[in-house]
Amino acid sequence: MREKEIHQHRKDEHLSLGIKYWKNQRNEHFSGLRFSDVRMVPQGLPELALDEIDLSVRALNTRFEQPFYIEAMTGGSTFGDKINAQLAEIAAAQNLPMAVGSQSIAIKYPELTAGFQKLRKINPDGFMFANLGAHHNLEAAKRAVDMLEANALELHINVAQELTMKNGEGDRDFYWLENINEIANKINVPLIVKEVGFGFSKEMFHQLSQTAVSAINVGGKGGTNFAWIEHQRGGEFELEDYGFTTVESLLEAQHAQTQKTLIATGGITAVSDIVKAQLLGADLVSAAGFVLHQLMENGSDPLQMKLENWKKELRRYYALQGVKNKAALKKRPVLLSMEAQYFLEQRRK
Ligand SMILES: Cc1cc2nc3c(=O)[nH]c(=O)nc-3n(C[C@H](O)[C@H](O)[C@H](O)COP(=O)(O)O)c2cc1C
């Protein structure tokens, strides 16, 4: 195979293994704090009407009607472009933001930009996130944004994934911070730094607080596991159950008192996960593996119904919490499990 086909093949393997990961319910087996370690405090006298509830969020220079969106997965191969096109249609119909998967393939092989450009035609007015790895330079970042006429740019940090890739494939050099800061300072859209499923520690929040990035997506453990995926693809480094979960990463954000917009991804499968992530401080919440699984298993229309339902259920959860908006939700107390308290205590030092 030529280099381009090898790259496209890798994209397709990520998709098929991502689907398989979910299908085998591997996403349910991991250590660390889960959303079930966070409990909501009931408010049976909410003193509000459902109609008064406003789910919108102001972040990334935009007003989002809903606090959730479709996270980065694919693009650049025939299969990947097809899935992205379906996701773009869903995003447009549901008025939900969407991120594309890494555009590095189209930066390297410009003939592959068409598949990404098409998404803007399908979803002309929607909020779209461009996506690249954190080692790409400013010029590549600008091209990725232009390709999509993107509203924001995600730079993914994925050390654990790179190190578990087959020899010859993964990066082995991880000097990223200066580059991230340069792009954040010079690009004309908000920049998000995102993990891909291994989570964030308070030390990482501190490192990024010194930069001009607008937002941090914790990309926690608890859903798609790229160490497993890369091992299935032939990587010899079998990294087991590594990283901080999404819940743990959000607790770390509290310790770090981050002032950046906070996004939660990683193992989001239900509306209650979205609400709990918000209760723990997330401004926006996104899902990748779950959306992919639903799309492949049930098809586009049932997925749309599911997302439509999420909007309705979210409103009901806000009513159950007695809050009319996100600002009020963030002030609500939560109950944490003993294990969560122990985690907090250890990480306070
Ligand atoms: C098939 C697949 C491909 C992915 N490719 C990318 C990518 O190119 N860039 C990126 O930032 N994240 C990528 N991700 C990671 C997701 O955006 C997300 O951070 C991660 O899967 C955790 O969320 P989840 O548990 O909801 O899947 C990919 C995820 C999946 C399932």
Side-chain angles (χ1 to χ4, degrees), residues 11 14-15 18 22 71-74 101-102 131 154 156 194-197 219-220 222-224 226 265-268 286-290 292:
K11 294 259 144 196
H14 283 162
L15 277 172
W22 224 267
E71 196 48 85
M73 282 185 273
T74 196
S102 176
N131 186 295
E154 296 180 337
H156 62 258
K194 86 177 268 284
E195 243 294 347
V196 302
T224 304
F226 268 99
T265 307
I268 301 295
S286 55
F290 176 79
L292 180 64

